[in-house]
Amino acid sequence: MSQPVLSMQGISKEFPGVKALTDVDFELYPGEVHALMGENGAGKSTLMKILSGVYSPTKGVIRLKGKEAVFGNPLDAQLQGVSIIHQEFNLFTNLSAAENIFIDRPEMAGRFGRIKWSKMVEEAQALVDSIGGGEIDVRREVRHLGVHSQQVVEIAKALSFKADVLIMDEPSAALPENEVKKMFEVVRKLRSQGVAIVYVSHRMKEIFEIADKVTVLRDGRKMDTRPIGEVTEQSLIQMMVGKEVQQLYPVREQPHGTEVVLKVSELSLDASHKISFELHKGEILGLFGIPGSGSHTVAERLFGLKRGSGGLEINGKPVKIASPGDAKAKKLAYVPPDRHRQGIIKPMSVRQNISFPTLPGLSKGLVLDGEAIRGVSAEYMEKLRIKAPGDGQSVDFLSGGNQQKVVIAKWLAAKPDILILEEPTRGVDVGAKAEIYSIIHGLAQEGLSILLISSEMPEVLGLSDRVLVMYKGEIVHEFARGEADQEQLLQRASHPRTEGAAI
């Protein structure tokens, strides 16, 4: 067997009052895709931040190609051959792909600081071509490129530093389902070129499709490293959470009601597309479509973030929703897809985040009622099983799953009749997913009507009573629970004019 390109031995990391990692060993070989898994808070991010130069370990040794390596900062790590591609791309959208790849690089500057444009474009195109991105013109501004092409640019930028080790953090999170396979092709090409890849992901299906090995962390400790052929989905879950998760998707205990809570008639999504549908009391109605289908616009229109024409009825009464304030007044709530940018206020505490939408009702005159605020916070922390030292804890220090629960909690505190959930488990681990699915199921059983918009096909199929499939601004098919599998769902969302499809 070849020597490891990377060896991390006895890595520990302590923060004030917190031991994030304890004696973790991790090895990576050339041309290997090594998956790193664990629940949110298990230590994955801390280990990768140490490897990429963001943190220094409290204890332990890092060796690259057999030699001890010390990283003072991320650029230092890049120059020594370790690059990271973050879940959220770090690109300047108003610059070309070539400029992004070689930004602030001395080798691209000539006499008197003039940029060697021809050399930059030539070398950038060669890098992009080498990983299968030949369709990308590196002279184009990044804002004109698709998400997959932007990811290729990020990878090319990492490789421009002669990376031996490439860390891919949730690489499929920003990609539509139909482009994940393209990303796998890039990963396989990198593997064939001898690049060693650390693949951090919560998505089990991807791990089994692309990884050679898997390492699982739990509570800051390494549980095990195994060849991918020696593990099953169930055994991985058990290593991650310390117990078996018997039922990821709860079984529907009783049918939803027949009463129509929300009626949408000819709701305009743009100048040429309108949709109509009904949502019943206690129903989980799934809405699925690949990017560009219009499913995200449906959520924005219903919550008053975008204006347009069309009729809305809530509990049989016509309503007009021109703003989020209108939506909230009509007992409609919206959990957005990006909790970091749209869902939580990071500097604020759990208590402040949960109470924020309902502050007007938690005051005595012009003075906030602290006791009432603490009561609401305590109620929903208990109901959603939010794990935090206390409600005064900043949400910035919670795991992704608990942050997502805070976003859900703050809107449940507003006592809605209708809840729009968009990508409710994006970026959370399997244990947190199971808990959030249980919460969603329980809310529906209590009579809350839920519109579930998700790009994760197992999630939509596993939770929904019905699934509406969207394609280019239209609802093209409806599936009842149990009627469709993932292949059929994606087929309708990608090519609705197949035999038997509703158009």
Side-chain angles (χ1 to χ4, degrees):
M1 181 182 289
S2 63
Q3 293 298 310
V5 65
L6 168 71
S7 176
M8 304 178 78
Q9 298 175 333
I11 302 295
S12 296
K13 181 63 179 177
E14 295 183 19
F15 299 98
V18 178
K19 201 163 189 177
L21 292 172
T22 304
D23 294 323
V24 173
D25 295 335
F26 184 81
E27 286 189 339
L28 185 65
Y29 288 81
E32 174 181 83
V33 179
H34 195 138
L36 184 63
M37 301 193 74
E39 291 193 276
N40 288 104
K44 305 185 305 296
S45 294
T46 303
L47 188 66
M48 292 302 97
K49 284 179 179 179
I50 288 171
L51 178 56
S52 59
V54 176
Y55 295 153
S56 296
T58 305
K59 190 179 73 172
V61 177
I62 301 174
R63 288 188 173 86
L64 277 173
K65 298 181 180 178
K67 296 180 180 180
E68 186 171 340
V70 177
F71 307 135
N73 53 58
L75 179 58
D76 197 10
Q78 282 184 314
L79 293 173
Q80 293 187 57
V82 179
S83 289
I84 183 168
I85 298 169
H86 295 282
Q87 180 176 339
E88 297 174 6
F89 301 152
N90 186 24
L91 297 171
F92 295 97
T93 57
N94 61 326
L95 297 181
S96 70
E99 288 171 299
N100 272 277
I101 292 169
F102 287 110
I103 193 164
D104 199 25
R105 302 287 281 278
E107 64 268 32
M108 292 300 165
R111 293 181 64 190
F112 309 113
R114 291 182 177 177
I115 296 173
K116 301 176 181 177
W117 292 108
S118 297
K119 178 182 179 182
M120 180 187 291
V121 169
E122 182 181 344
E123 293 192 15
Q125 194 69 58
L127 276 170
V128 166
D129 291 350
S130 73
I131 52 175
E135 77 283 358
I136 300 171
D137 182 350
V138 298
R139 295 168 297 183
R140 293 189 71 193
E141 289 183 3
V142 164
R143 62 194 172 98
H144 297 306
L145 301 178
V147 179
H148 170 67
S149 294
Q150 289 184 20
Q151 188 176 64
V152 170
V153 172
E154 279 279 22
I155 294 171
K157 182 169 69 172
L159 295 179
S160 72
F161 284 93
K162 312 299 182 187
D164 300 302
V165 174
L166 184 62
I167 304 165
M168 302 185 76
D169 182 15
E170 297 288 351
S172 65
L175 295 176
E177 194 79 28
N178 59 331
E179 290 197 348
V180 173
K181 288 185 177 179
K182 293 181 185 177
M183 184 264 291
F184 285 162
E185 290 172 8
V186 174
V187 172
R188 291 187 180 104
K189 189 171 283 287
L190 291 170
R191 177 168 56 188
S192 70
Q193 294 170 2
V195 178
I197 298 170
V198 185
Y199 194 96
V200 185
S201 179
H202 289 116
R203 298 187 176 184
M204 290 282 183
K205 180 183 175 184
E206 293 179 13
I207 297 303
F208 286 98
E209 185 164 347
I210 200 67
D212 302 302
K213 287 182 188 171
V214 59
T215 289
V216 175
L217 300 183
R218 187 170 82 229
D219 298 329
R221 295 179 181 272
K222 175 181 167 181
M223 292 293 101
D224 205 353
T225 295
R226 302 261 191 92
I228 199 67
E230 293 182 7
V231 294
T232 64
E233 184 172 322
Q234 191 61 47
S235 67
L236 277 179
I237 292 172
Q238 191 162 0
M239 276 194 279
M240 288 167 62
V241 304
K243 60 183 179 181
E244 291 188 25
V245 178
Q246 298 289 355
Q247 187 70 43
L248 189 59
Y249 301 104
V251 177
R252 188 70 156 166
E253 297 164 8
Q254 61 189 39
H256 62 78
T258 57
E259 175 188 349
V260 176
V261 174
L262 173 68
K263 184 176 181 179
V264 177
S265 304
E266 299 292 306
L267 186 76
S268 63
L269 302 185
D270 54 37
S272 58
H273 295 105
K274 298 179 181 181
I275 65 166
S276 302
F277 64 88
E278 294 179 347
L279 174 65
H280 302 93
K281 185 174 179 61
E283 181 182 28
I284 302 175
L285 177 62
L287 193 61
F288 178 80
I290 61 177
S293 66
S295 57
H296 174 64
T297 307
V298 173
E300 292 184 318
R301 284 281 289 108
L302 291 177
F303 198 62
L305 293 168
K306 283 189 175 179
R307 295 191 179 189
S309 62
L312 293 178
E313 292 182 17
I314 294 180
N315 295 320
K317 297 180 180 178
V319 298
K320 290 198 177 294
I321 296 177
S323 69
D326 289 344
K328 184 183 159 193
K330 301 296 188 296
K331 291 189 171 295
L332 193 151
Y334 173 43
V335 174
D338 188 337
R339 63 176 173 271
H340 297 291
R341 290 194 176 99
Q342 304 161 305
I344 57 175
I345 305 172
K346 285 189 174 183
M348 288 188 174
S349 67
V350 173
R351 178 174 62 248
Q352 290 169 317
N353 271 273
I354 290 177
S355 61
F356 192 77
T358 54
L359 282 179
L362 299 171
S363 60
K364 295 177 179 178
L366 298 176
V367 180
L368 292 176
D369 186 341
E371 185 177 347
I373 290 172
R374 285 189 291 273
V376 169
S377 174
E379 176 186 351
Y380 286 95
M381 283 187 74
E382 180 180 0
K383 184 170 183 176
L384 272 65
R385 300 184 293 279
I386 297 170
K387 296 174 185 175
D391 66 0
Q393 174 75 48
S394 168
V395 293
D396 205 16
F397 294 101
L398 301 186
S399 69
N402 283 298
Q403 287 179 348
Q404 190 69 5
K405 289 181 188 178
V406 169
V407 180
I408 296 171
K410 78 175 188 180
W411 286 111
L412 292 183
K415 308 291 186 185
D417 292 330
I418 299 164
L419 179 63
I420 303 169
L421 291 171
E422 188 169 3
E423 306 293 352
T425 62
R426 175 176 285 172
V428 307
D429 58 75
V430 68
K433 277 188 176 184
E435 288 190 340
I436 291 172
Y437 293 158
S438 177
I439 290 166
I440 293 171
H441 175 261
L443 292 171
Q445 293 291 105
E446 292 172 8
L448 186 64
S449 302
I450 298 171
L451 179 62
L452 173 68
I453 303 171
S454 176
S455 59
E456 292 199 27
M457 292 187 287
E459 185 168 275
V460 172
L461 294 171
L463 288 174
S464 304
D465 298 302
R466 288 184 295 140
V467 179
L468 304 179
V469 184
M470 291 195 67
Y471 178 79
K472 293 186 177 179
E474 299 178 1
I475 295 174
V476 296
H477 204 82
E478 177 180 321
F479 289 109
R481 179 186 284 273
E483 261 189 359
D485 57 22
Q486 293 184 48
E487 185 178 349
Q488 291 170 309
L489 190 63
L490 186 58
Q491 183 184 54
R492 293 288 190 253
S494 305
H495 307 287
R497 295 182 183 275
T498 51
E499 186 177 347
I503 56 175

